Amino acid sequence: MTPDTAFPPTRDAGLARLRDFLPKAAGDYTRGRNYDLPEQGHPHVSQLSPYLRHRLVTEAEVLDAVLGRYSLKSAEKFVQEVYWRTYWKGWLERRPSVWMAYKGGLSQALDRLHVESGLRAEWEAACKGETGIDGFDAWARELVSTGYMHNHARMWFASIWIFTLRLPWELGADFFLRHLLDGDAASNTLSWRWVAGLQTQGKNYAARASNISKYTEGRHRPVHQLASDPAPLMGPPHPPADDAPVTPTLDRNAPWVLVLTEDDLSPGFVLDQMANPPLATAILDGAAARSPLTVAPHVTDWTSAALDSTCARYADRLGPVTPAPEDLGAWARGAGAAQIVMPYTPEGPARDLLRARLADSDLPLVPVLRDHDAAAWPHAKAGFFKFKEKIPALIARRQGLSLAS
């Protein structure tokens, strides 16, 4: 099954997947979420990540659907997983230098591949799934062919990459970004750092053969193949957290243009705030910029199709649509705009492109935050467990807003 047939790149497909998952979101998910069962179609997890990553379906919609059916206590594990994504984004948004450090580390690791033939051979074997390590090779091949990997398998894979194969973690994070349909700067970078022991500093994640055997139901048993009790990687302390972002002043009546990136493909919440439709819309696709290397065609094709489906969905509200030009400011001026408005684009490849293409612009840029992020990101100050304590209040606030509307 190809990525496009397993995960059709449309909002309707994401909503259908959410509806199919709802009966499993409580007890079945809690009991079975750690089992990696690709032959059975990963039956215990939602596989909503490609849709959430691009916000074809939003976190708020998923939470509303799940908590409209179950109590928070019953669906607690799944709700926490949704908020992990929110937490990672908020944590990185407040520490953008960590994304820049990852890119710098990746550049150095790629340079090493040109001069260290042994490292290059080991890296290529890992990417091709030709290491001989039971489980690892199957996960590599699954990722390359489907664009998906179960979350528990991602943890095992990253641990083996870092501690058994002793490959630079940045090359592993890049391998994921090049192939995952849900490849996301925050979730991917910080999860690899967490496995390595750089995120929760001094505490790493070690893959165990017994754990892999249990949660693959004996399909993989890498006995005597894995590093035993590896030490965490060492790194600099975390930078201090910046203030959580807020939406700048938005002039509802001033003429405007819209910029859409693949980071938020449900722009109705922006369009609904404006008195008039945009004069024009520019589409900024950052999928190919997720890596200095070639990003897998199934990723770039999927993202492009998802953007196209969004433009079709909002065709009567976007005005003339064009690929984003190199100078977005000049384009916006030419359209007669007094401001550039867009759904908030967090740290990552699309944000990097946006900075470059707005470098010479003197027009106000108004990135509009979703309420979900605006409420949660101020709490992404330390570790997830402190953040987790805020989830009931965040849910209550969300439910209160829904009732008020």
Side-chain angles (χ1 to χ4, degrees):
M1 185 174 290
T2 66
D4 274 3
T5 57
F7 300 95
T10 66
R11 174 172 165 80
D12 285 346
L15 291 173
R17 190 174 287 275
L18 174 59
R19 288 193 298 270
D20 290 344
F21 174 69
L22 279 179
K24 307 174 184 178
D28 186 74
Y29 179 83
T30 300
R31 292 186 297 270
R33 70 190 188 281
N34 286 329
Y35 284 88
D36 173 43
L37 305 172
E39 292 87 351
Q40 300 177 32
H42 297 295
H44 302 299
V45 293
S46 73
Q47 298 181 81
L48 282 165
S49 55
Y51 303 100
L52 284 168
R53 183 263 179 264
H54 298 92
R55 282 184 162 164
L56 283 167
V57 179
T58 69
E59 293 89 341
E61 289 176 310
V62 171
L63 292 168
D64 286 350
V66 170
L67 295 173
R69 180 169 181 146
Y70 304 103
S71 68
L72 176 57
K73 181 177 181 180
S74 298
E76 182 179 32
K77 291 299 182 184
F78 181 74
V79 168
Q80 287 177 4
E81 285 303 311
V82 174
Y83 271 106
W84 261 110
R85 176 177 296 274
T86 303
Y87 165 74
W88 280 145
K89 279 193 177 295
W91 196 97
L92 187 63
E93 199 59 28
R94 302 182 64 180
R95 300 163 183 85
S97 62
V98 174
W99 170 244
M100 300 303 295
Y102 157 70
K103 294 200 299 179
L106 174 61
S107 179
Q108 293 175 10
L110 290 172
D111 287 344
R112 288 179 60 193
L113 296 180
H114 293 296
V115 297
E116 299 179 34
S117 58
L119 176 64
R120 184 174 185 88
E122 292 167 356
W123 169 74
E124 289 178 342
C127 293
K128 293 176 182 176
E130 296 176 353
T131 67
I133 297 175
D134 188 15
F136 183 93
D137 290 349
W139 297 317
R141 293 191 294 268
E142 180 188 13
L143 174 58
V144 169
S145 63
T146 70
Y148 180 79
M149 188 188 295
H150 187 283
N151 185 60
H152 205 170
R154 297 184 198 198
M155 294 162 57
W156 296 323
F157 186 97
S159 180
I160 295 168
W161 181 287
I162 295 168
F163 300 117
T164 297
L165 298 175
R166 296 185 178 276
L167 293 169
W169 73 267
E170 295 95 338
L171 291 177
D174 175 73
F175 177 59
F176 273 17
L177 276 183
R178 285 188 287 122
H179 291 93
L180 282 169
L181 294 178
D182 62 29
D184 172 78
S187 294
N188 190 65
T189 305
L190 302 183
S191 293
W192 274 83
R193 283 171 51 87
W194 179 81
V195 169
L198 298 169
Q199 193 64 24
T200 303
Q201 294 186 318
K203 183 179 180 181
N204 58 330
Y205 176 79
R208 308 289 185 195
S210 58
N211 186 261
I212 292 171
S213 177
K214 174 181 178 180
Y215 287 109
T216 63
E217 295 186 340
R219 188 175 76 257
H220 300 302
R221 297 179 48 125
V223 178
H224 306 308
Q225 291 188 295
L226 308 183
S228 176
D229 297 320
L233 302 187
M234 303 298 292
H238 299 322
D242 295 341
D243 291 338
V246 297
T247 298
T249 301
L250 178 64
D251 187 337
R252 296 180 63 253
N253 298 295
W256 65 293
V257 290
L258 175 68
V259 175
L260 280 182
T261 77
E262 75 273 17
D263 287 315
D264 195 324
L265 297 182
S266 294
F269 81 105
V270 173
L271 296 166
D272 290 345
Q273 295 184 52
M274 306 303 291
N276 299 295
L279 298 168
T281 296
I283 305 300
L284 183 61
D285 185 348
R290 293 182 192 181
S291 170
L293 302 178
T294 301
V295 175
H298 66 245
V299 171
T300 53
D301 291 349
W302 196 97
T303 306
S304 177
L307 282 158
D308 287 345
S309 73
T310 298
C311 290
R313 199 164 86 246
Y314 289 94
D316 61 342
R317 304 184 68 185
L318 299 181
V321 177
T322 183
E326 290 297 320
D327 189 337
L328 278 169
W331 163 79
R333 283 283 187 200
Q339 57 184 340
I340 301 171
V341 184
M342 62 185 303
Y344 191 97
T345 299
E347 288 297 328
R351 176 83 160 268
D352 294 339
L353 289 177
L354 188 67
R355 288 190 182 102
R357 298 193 188 192
L358 285 171
D360 298 322
S361 175
D362 60 351
L363 285 179
L365 174 66
V366 186
V368 182
L369 271 171
R370 287 185 175 275
D371 180 75
H372 176 85
D373 297 331
W377 287 359
H379 303 296
K381 294 183 290 188
F384 179 74
F385 290 101
K386 287 188 176 295
F387 178 88
K388 185 172 68 172
E389 295 172 356
K390 306 297 182 180
I391 290 177
L394 292 170
I395 292 293
R397 181 181 184 276
R398 171 70 195 166
Q399 292 173 332
L401 289 174
S402 297
L403 289 172
S405 63

